[in-house]
Amino acid sequence: MTAPALRARAISKRFGPVNALSEVDFVLDTGEVHALLGVNGAGKSTFIKILSGVYRKDEGSIEVGGEAIDCRDPKEAIRHGIATVQQHPELVADFTGYENIFLGREAARSGLFSRIERTDLSRRANALLKRFPVDIDLSKTVAEMSAVEREIVAILQALAGDHIRVLILDEPTSTLTEVEKTVLFRLLDTLRQGGISVLYITHRLEEVMEIADRLSVFRGGRMVASMPVADVKAKNLSLAELMLGEALDHVFPPRAEPDAIGETVLAVRGLTAAGAFSNIGFELRRGEILGIFGLVGSGADELAKALFGAIPVEGGSVVLKGHTIAPRSPREALKAGIFLVPGDRRVEGLALTETSIFNITLANLKRASGAAGILKRAGNRTASGEFATRLSLSPPNLSMPVSGFSGGNQQKIVVAKGLFAEADVYIFVEPTIGVDIGARAKLYGLMRELSGTAGVIVLSSDCDEAHGIADRTFALYKGRQIAPPDGLQTRNQLLMAGIMGELHRD
Amino acid sequence: MTRTFTLPAGSGRFLAFLLLVVLVATAFTLAEPRFLSTQNMSAVTRHMAANGLAALGLTFVVIVRKFDLSFAGTACFAAMTIGYLIALGQPLWIAIPAGIVVGAAIGAFNGVVISYFRFPDIVTTIATGSIAAGLAFVYSNGRTIFQNFMSSGILDLNDARVFGYSLSFVFLLGLYAVAWFFMHRTRYGASFYATGENPVAAYYSGVPTRLYTMLAFVACGVTCVFAVLLILAESGTADTNEGANLLMPAYAGVFLGTALLGRTSVLATLAGTFLITMLLDGFSLLGIPFYYSDGVVSAILLAGVVFFDARLREFLSDIGSFLQPASVKKEKRS
């Protein structure tokens, strides 16, 4: 019995009040492709960051090939044979593939003034290519390469140290097309045969079935399942259920009753923004939630920002409660009655070192202050406290900097800010990224509640979310709206529309 | 049951500040008993007024996370403008507002090009500050202006007393009280903080972030004129380098205060300015030449900045670990 390529025992990691990982046991066998699954915030990223030396574990042990290691930084992990390719690999755009692969390792013994031998570089790169037969032209600069070629250069760069035994890939397929994926999977297959173990993070279940040998599922910082992929097929297990921890139906509130749907709140016609999306049209009625499914690059984020006045539009019209509006800034959009819960709450949503009260009142300082702009401190505290109770903010501390809250609770603060702003239309972008399941259910419930008095739009790159929360849906694919006039009915229709850009009838 | 006392947030830091003040005062008093004399204390408060006024406007700029290096030059130009108008026989109610207009105009120019046209703040304000310092020479070809100063009444600003305190010190405290209320109790102050804290989130919350950035520079341009006005009143002449010594104490006051109280605020600047002024005054009382004391205070400023800036701290600790003997082969990465 040989030792596995990598074994982790009882790994725990805390960030302030948050338990990011609790006692994770994990085994990676030699020469396997192992998929790591879990919803956002489940602990996958923290786990691989510990393996690759970016974070240090609080407790537990890690062995590579039977030898205990404790990496303080990524260089040390690489020395122990663990290489990582980030989700967005950092390559030098103006350098060729060869140069990138051997960046920083140009000569075995490099001095400050040693010349870089280009012919030597290409000879060594080609030797690497012989080991991993991938048909790409490495004399092109990275700027000229396609997404999959860049991914392969990043993988070859990681493998350029000959001793690498474990390769960690963080969502390598998120920007790849279907055809490009097969190229990547061929490379992974070659690595597997060469005895290299691949740990592969993904959100896409169908890929797991296609390429992985085994899979592990993270949920709430714990490893909840680890099994051969064949078992999933044999036992017909629901990976989504494993990831979410309960039947999906319970996460989402019931859909709107037909007679609860009222008048049109927002009507969008032919909305176009160059390079992002074109000719988008929909109506949003009181009492219903509109779900828009779009992957990265679909234009979903831009559509939300255009409605919010944060990016300019070239054409089309937006009618809010009977009045045509054309907000040129978020300030004007807020005045008109539109609130955006942005996709990146830390960058776009929160002043992190400020308190909950500060953040909750920020989008409607007029309401938060009285004569001469003097803040109503007691009133704001009471109002914030009410939202905190309503959203089960945890801890219910209104004076603590919001950076101390977990992702889900930070999102609750952004939503509370929206409630304080008293808008007519709420636009949620990726509302549950990094939000745990309990907070998710709470947020979904609140969206449903909001839809009773305001228009609610949810844009998500998670098809189950867009379909599960909404009464009507459409997909965005490369800036195009993919939807029949009556909306998309089933989850699979929505999925195919968003991923392939095609309409399918079940 | 044990009862626990909870002090208001930040009170620990405030106590630490008081302790530091007592320590510094004790040290100076032991070295030079005159330190606690009424005469010296009144000098401390007078110097504190000029430093504190310049630091107040800078506080606004630092809160929106920008730098203004122009206000010393602006103060020189404003001082010569005021001096020139006094020499022409204009009354103070014309000369002083004219100086304030100069400060506001340069501040507005800085603010507009930095916030609306996205000029880099440091380079822009070095340039405008140098231009202003140059313009200070235009009125008199660089000669000191003193005509009409005695009769103009400007010296009264230095000598006047309110409730036993010098007018300048009372003016300082009054302006700080107004600024504190504005910054920490009104929606406008919240908008300044939001702009500095996270301009993107502030913009998405409907805060006109560019306007607030611009206004911070105007505030800085105006308060440095207040500061130089007190210097004019004390010296009784207008010199082309009248405001040149405002830069370092103002930055030291803001950043030392930030380091002491944990975040940039009106009170933090007041605390920082008080400590800096006390140090500068103590050194001069001991007869330590300014080129040493300035060095010491600047070193304290640097220490304060490092303490304040988490990223810088991280960078320094990285250098620290880099300098440790490493067995790992150095790797160059993009």
Side-chain angles (χ1 to χ4, degrees):
Chain A
M1 194 60 202
T2 55
L6 186 146
R7 180 194 288 277
R9 284 198 180 92
I11 304 289
S12 294
K13 178 77 185 171
R14 290 174 64 83
F15 292 107
V18 186
N19 264 323
L21 287 177
S22 319
E23 304 197 345
V24 171
D25 292 313
F26 176 76
V27 173
L28 180 67
D29 283 331
T30 305
E32 71 165 347
V33 174
H34 193 126
L36 218 52
L37 294 161
V39 297
N40 289 307
K44 306 177 305 266
S45 295
T46 309
F47 183 63
I48 63 155
K49 279 180 177 154
I50 286 173
L51 293 184
S52 59
V54 176
Y55 294 157
R56 298 200 68 177
K57 59 189 184 313
D58 293 340
E59 282 157 50
S61 64
I62 298 172
E63 290 169 16
V64 171
E67 178 200 350
I69 62 164
D70 185 15
C71 299
R72 278 171 306 179
D73 56 42
K75 288 175 202 162
E76 213 172 324
I78 290 167
R79 207 156 48 91
H80 288 295
I82 304 173
T84 307
V85 176
Q86 299 301 331
Q87 192 172 358
H88 304 286
E90 282 183 27
L91 299 171
V92 184
D94 293 336
F95 280 18
T96 64
Y98 295 124
E99 287 166 336
N100 269 287
I101 289 171
F102 292 105
L103 201 65
R105 288 183 276 247
E106 281 84 0
R109 284 187 187 283
S110 64
L112 188 55
F113 301 105
S114 62
R115 282 178 57 219
I116 298 169
E117 300 288 347
R118 273 169 208 283
T119 48
D120 181 53
L121 268 190
S122 61
R123 192 176 48 74
R124 282 166 60 200
N126 282 324
L128 199 64
L129 278 184
K130 272 206 189 83
R131 281 168 59 206
F132 311 111
V134 180
D135 185 24
I136 66 168
D137 179 7
L138 289 177
S139 60
K140 277 196 292 190
T141 66
V142 165
E144 298 165 332
M145 288 184 175
S146 67
V148 70
E149 286 173 326
R150 289 176 193 191
E151 187 71 34
I152 285 170
V153 167
I155 291 174
L156 293 179
Q157 184 191 50
L159 292 172
D162 296 331
H163 63 292
I164 297 297
R165 282 176 297 182
V166 174
L167 180 67
I168 300 172
L169 302 177
D170 191 356
E171 293 197 44
T173 53
S174 55
T175 55
L176 302 188
T177 64
E178 293 299 320
V179 183
E180 287 178 326
K181 270 182 208 168
T182 59
V183 178
L184 178 70
F185 288 168
R186 265 208 307 277
L187 175 63
L188 295 190
D189 198 38
T190 316
L191 294 179
R192 166 161 58 190
Q193 282 161 22
I196 292 175
S197 310
V198 179
L199 185 57
Y200 172 96
I201 290 194
T202 182
H203 282 298
R204 303 191 178 184
L205 305 181
E206 66 280 6
E207 283 175 24
V208 175
M209 299 302 173
E210 196 180 335
I211 184 69
D213 301 302
R214 287 203 303 146
L215 61 89
S216 295
V217 181
F218 276 79
R219 188 206 314 148
R222 291 177 184 278
M223 170 89 77
V224 292
S226 195
M227 65 183 87
V229 169
D231 280 13
V232 179
K233 288 176 188 159
K235 296 180 188 162
N236 199 18
L237 293 171
S238 162
L239 284 181
E241 231 165 85
L242 268 177
M243 281 158 61
L244 290 174
E246 56 184 293
L248 280 171
D249 308 343
H250 300 310
V251 183
F252 299 109
R255 292 204 160 78
E257 299 294 331
D259 56 350
I261 292 175
E263 78 283 8
T264 298
V265 182
L266 185 75
V268 174
R269 295 264 170 283
L271 204 65
T272 300
F277 56 82
S278 63
N279 204 20
I280 308 292
F282 60 85
E283 286 199 352
L284 180 68
R285 291 168 295 177
R286 193 179 300 285
E288 67 172 359
I289 297 178
L290 176 67
I292 303 176
F293 168 54
L295 300 174
V296 174
S298 65
D301 195 43
E302 289 85 350
L303 175 60
K305 284 181 179 159
L307 289 171
F308 193 53
I311 61 172
V313 293
E314 267 93 50
S317 69
V318 180
V319 178
L320 177 66
K321 292 172 109 182
H323 301 282
T324 301
I325 59 166
R328 284 165 302 168
S329 67
R331 185 176 177 77
E332 289 184 14
L334 281 164
K335 272 190 184 149
I338 297 178
F339 185 83
L340 175 75
V341 177
D344 191 339
R345 62 181 157 265
R346 296 176 70 86
V347 173
E348 297 164 343
L350 294 168
L352 285 169
T353 62
E354 300 288 352
T355 64
S356 310
I357 300 176
F358 184 99
N359 278 283
I360 289 170
T361 54
L362 189 60
N364 194 350
L365 284 171
K366 202 167 189 168
R367 179 182 166 192
S369 57
I374 296 168
L375 292 170
K376 299 182 215 160
R377 287 166 37 96
N380 293 339
R381 176 167 284 277
T382 311
S384 302
E386 277 164 18
F387 291 134
T389 313
R390 192 165 151 199
L391 291 163
S392 327
L393 188 70
S394 158
N397 183 341
L398 299 172
S399 306
M400 172 173 112
V402 297
S403 57
F405 287 95
S406 69
N409 284 293
Q410 287 181 349
Q411 188 71 328
K412 287 177 185 172
I413 293 169
V414 180
V415 172
K417 177 168 135 181
L419 295 177
F420 191 82
E422 297 177 312
D424 294 314
V425 171
Y426 288 88
I427 305 171
F428 292 84
V429 178
E430 304 285 8
T432 58
I433 281 190
V435 173
D436 65 68
I437 192 80
R440 278 172 81 136
K442 198 88 205 172
L443 286 169
Y444 291 142
L446 188 90
M447 289 175 196
R448 177 51 70 197
E449 197 184 320
L450 266 179
S451 72
T453 53
V456 175
I457 305 174
V458 177
L459 296 99
S460 179
S461 62
D462 177 348
C463 183
D464 291 320
E465 177 170 274
H467 181 258
I469 184 65
D471 302 297
R472 276 190 308 137
T473 57
F474 67 82
L476 280 176
Y477 178 78
K478 295 187 175 169
R480 284 188 293 128
Q481 183 175 11
I482 312 289
D486 55 341
L488 291 157
Q489 303 305 324
T490 71
R491 177 193 170 278
N492 280 354
Q493 283 181 342
L494 185 63
L495 189 69
M496 294 309 283
I499 289 179
M500 312 283 282
E502 292 162 11
L503 282 176
H504 287 255
R505 291 273 168 208
D506 290 324
Chain B
M1 285 292 286
T2 53
R3 275 179 53 198
T4 52
F5 287 97
T6 42
L7 293 165
S11 56
R13 283 173 172 278
F14 188 68
L15 290 176
F17 162 71
L18 288 182
L19 191 69
L20 201 56
V21 168
V22 171
L23 275 177
V24 171
T26 311
F28 277 130
T29 311
L30 289 178
E32 172 54 77
R34 276 185 302 155
F35 184 76
L36 280 182
S37 68
T38 327
Q39 202 180 5
N40 186 52
M41 279 298 115
S42 111
V44 168
T45 52
R46 241 193 357 261
H47 293 146
M48 187 178 162
N51 292 342
L53 287 171
L56 183 59
L58 182 63
T59 306
F60 280 54
V61 175
V62 172
I63 282 173
V64 299
R65 305 283 164 99
K66 295 283 180 204
F67 283 96
D68 185 347
L69 294 166
S70 71
F71 63 85
T74 304
C76 294
F77 183 36
M80 290 306 278
T81 305
I82 294 169
Y84 179 69
L85 289 172
I86 289 174
L88 284 183
Q90 296 290 345
L92 287 184
W93 61 265
I94 289 187
I96 292 173
I100 293 170
V101 166
V102 165
I106 295 174
F109 178 80
N110 284 335
V112 167
V113 298
I114 289 166
S115 83
Y116 291 93
F117 298 104
R118 309 202 177 177
F119 279 38
D121 53 347
I122 293 178
V123 176
T124 303
T125 54
I126 286 177
T128 52
S130 302
I131 292 167
L135 287 173
F137 284 73
V138 169
Y139 295 110
S140 63
N141 286 324
R143 281 189 292 276
T144 301
I145 300 176
F146 55 87
Q147 295 88 343
N148 293 339
F149 264 65
M150 296 299 274
S151 56
S152 68
I154 192 167
L155 302 186
D156 297 342
L157 289 178
N158 187 53
D159 303 331
R161 300 189 81 79
V162 182
F163 307 124
Y165 295 96
S166 65
L167 177 64
S168 55
F169 187 62
V170 171
F171 180 60
L172 174 85
L173 292 184
L175 203 60
Y176 263 76
V178 171
W180 173 83
F181 189 81
F182 177 77
M183 207 46 146
H184 301 282
R185 288 292 179 272
T186 73
R187 53 184 285 202
Y188 311 107
S191 298
F192 274 108
Y193 270 103
T195 298
E197 193 63 58
N198 186 343
V200 180
Y203 174 67
Y204 279 13
S205 303
V207 175
T209 52
R210 289 180 180 179
L211 178 67
Y212 280 99
T213 304
M214 202 273 280
L215 290 176
F217 281 97
V218 175
C220 194
V222 169
T223 62
C224 76
V225 179
F226 289 153
V228 85
L229 189 61
L230 300 183
I231 297 174
L232 279 182
E234 192 182 0
S235 66
T237 58
D239 255 319
T240 50
N241 67 347
E242 204 76 276
N245 289 329
L246 287 173
L247 195 67
M248 194 277 289
Y251 269 93
V254 172
F255 281 92
L256 194 63
T258 302
L260 285 169
L261 297 193
R263 70 181 305 191
T264 311
S265 68
V266 173
L267 279 182
T269 300
L270 190 64
T273 305
F274 181 61
L275 202 58
I276 289 293
T277 310
M278 210 165 76
L279 284 168
L280 286 173
D281 179 85
F283 285 133
S284 81
L285 202 64
L286 292 179
I288 295 171
F290 71 91
Y291 45 85
Y292 287 129
S293 61
D294 275 11
V296 171
V297 173
S298 299
I300 293 170
L301 164 64
L302 270 183
V305 171
V306 171
F307 192 71
F308 163 54
D309 194 323
R311 279 221 321 272
L312 200 60
R313 259 199 328 252
E314 199 175 309
F315 175 69
L316 287 177
S317 74
D318 277 358
I319 292 182
S321 66
F322 180 76
L323 292 175
Q324 281 161 13
S327 55
V328 187
K329 197 172 72 181
K330 190 178 136 198
E331 241 180 301
K332 198 170 72 187
R333 295 213 51 169
S334 60

